[in-house]
Amino acid sequence: RTGPALVGKNARSDMALDDVSFSQFTPLPPSPPPPSPPSPPPSPPSPPSPPPLPPLLPSHRLVESVEELRALVVTAASDTSLQLQRGAFLSLGGSELECTNLNASQIIAISIRSSPDASATIDADGRSRHFRVSGGCRLLLHDITLINGHEEEDGGSVLAEDGGEAVLRGITISNSSAGRDGGG
């Protein structure tokens, strides 16, 4: 038969299936795998670690708790140098640290320091001052933050009286008050 090919439901063929070789058809390539989800953005780099503290001098003692600090300040019988942990937070629990020299023939110097780039914080919890210094005791504070000191009388954070002396360097005093003189 010659002529136009019929298409659709009226189309007929006299070709049998065994006249067709299915090997003539090239199989379709396998489908590619679905695309991977996008990778998450890289996390920001970590901030650099702060530089380590210089090594303690042999005369310095590392203090790790408020109990240890209290014991060393109260019982000091000679010059003492103390180092607070970088970024430490010490709560006095409502009781001041008292530096008093019972041996009036000499002056005792107590030095308490921290790191200037990550100072330690001493919190008086709004229930006491931080330090009372008297009787031939010389307190040297370096690079420490004192917060929440309170005293109904004088010296909301530090009181030096009766021959006591306090020297503060690089100190931050915050939220401290006194009923009379010296809120800080």
Side-chain angles (χ1 to χ4, degrees):
R1 168 190 225 237
T2 61
L6 294 177
V7 179
K9 61 181 176 177
N10 293 329
R12 286 185 345 184
S13 171
D14 56 353
M15 184 175 7
L17 283 178
D18 45 346
D19 291 340
V20 177
S21 169
F22 289 99
S23 63
Q24 296 172 0
F25 298 105
T26 307
L28 294 174
S31 300
S36 299
S39 299
S43 54
S46 300
S49 299
L53 286 175
L56 288 177
L57 300 173
S59 60
H60 284 75
R61 178 165 179 175
L62 184 62
V63 176
E64 297 183 8
S65 70
V66 71
E67 294 80 12
E68 185 179 13
L69 177 62
R70 186 178 306 283
L72 292 168
V73 169
V74 170
T75 62
S78 61
D79 292 353
T80 304
S81 294
L82 307 174
Q83 173 78 42
L84 300 179
Q85 289 278 11
R86 170 187 301 248
F89 186 89
L90 304 174
S91 174
L92 296 180
S95 179
E96 69 190 11
L97 297 169
E98 189 167 355
C99 172
T100 302
N101 181 6
L102 300 177
N103 181 358
S105 64
Q106 67 177 19
I107 294 175
I108 293 177
I110 298 177
S111 173
I112 304 172
R113 70 180 180 124
S114 182
S115 171
D117 62 332
S119 71
T121 299
I122 300 175
D123 186 355
D125 304 307
R127 300 187 294 164
S128 69
R129 69 174 62 91
H130 297 89
F131 294 95
R132 176 190 297 260
V133 186
S134 61
C137 186
R138 182 172 194 233
L139 178 66
L140 305 130
L141 298 176
H142 303 273
D143 302 314
I144 297 173
T145 299
L146 304 175
I147 63 171
N148 302 323
H150 177 72
E151 178 58 44
E152 293 299 322
E153 298 294 322
D154 296 332
S157 279
V158 179
L159 176 65
E161 63 181 358
D162 301 328
E165 180 184 355
V167 177
L168 286 67
R169 292 193 178 113
I171 300 298
T172 299
I173 297 176
S174 177
N175 196 34
S176 293
S177 62
R180 295 191 334 193
D181 291 327

